[in-house]
Amino acid sequence: DVARGEAFYRDALGLEPTYRRPDASFLASGGYHHHIAINVWQSAGAGRRDDRHCGLEWLSLEVADPDVLATQRRRLLAAGAEPTMVDEGIEVRDPWGTRVRLVGCQAKPKG
């Protein structure tokens, strides 16, 4: 669901769209071509990933300015997401259950 993905990654998380078509959307920050790609090429209508199956469990995005983490947490809360604090920064689940971690540039996620 491209529109649902954009609502999370663009509207709640704040990534900028860099390219869009009906079946895909590419989003990034800092002028990069894309950090996240949302598409329905093999997964149209897919629901939340079952944690017992293989698939993307989590990803992290580094945040250059530590003050941005607090701003992002407020933005996510306002969008109805439920961010939690982790040692490296904050973590939130996207609409498919993938854990998205926003971490400071100096911190590296464990795992």
Side-chain angles (χ1 to χ4, degrees), residues 4-94:
R4 190 171 175 203
E6 284 184 338
F8 177 79
Y9 285 100
R10 180 194 61 210
D11 301 338
L13 205 57
L15 294 177
E16 299 282 332
T18 59
Y19 181 74
R20 174 123 183 25
R21 46 189 268 175
D23 60 349
S25 182
F26 299 83
L27 303 105
S29 68
Y32 193 66
H33 56 85
H34 78 279
H35 290 104
I36 299 289
I38 305 161
N39 67 68
V40 296
W41 300 334
Q42 298 292 323
S43 59
R48 189 176 179 117
R49 184 183 68 82
D50 184 334
D51 287 338
R52 297 172 297 172
H53 294 95
C54 291
L56 182 63
E57 183 178 352
W58 64 271
L59 64 98
S60 65
L61 298 170
E62 291 187 344
V63 177
D65 182 349
D67 294 335
V68 170
L69 289 174
T71 301
Q72 281 300 99
R73 184 175 184 279
R74 288 190 298 272
R75 180 184 184 130
L76 288 161
L77 285 167
E82 298 178 10
T84 58
M85 300 304 290
V86 294
D87 289 340
E88 303 88 8
I90 59 175
E91 182 176 279
V92 65
R93 289 191 181 257
D94 77 3

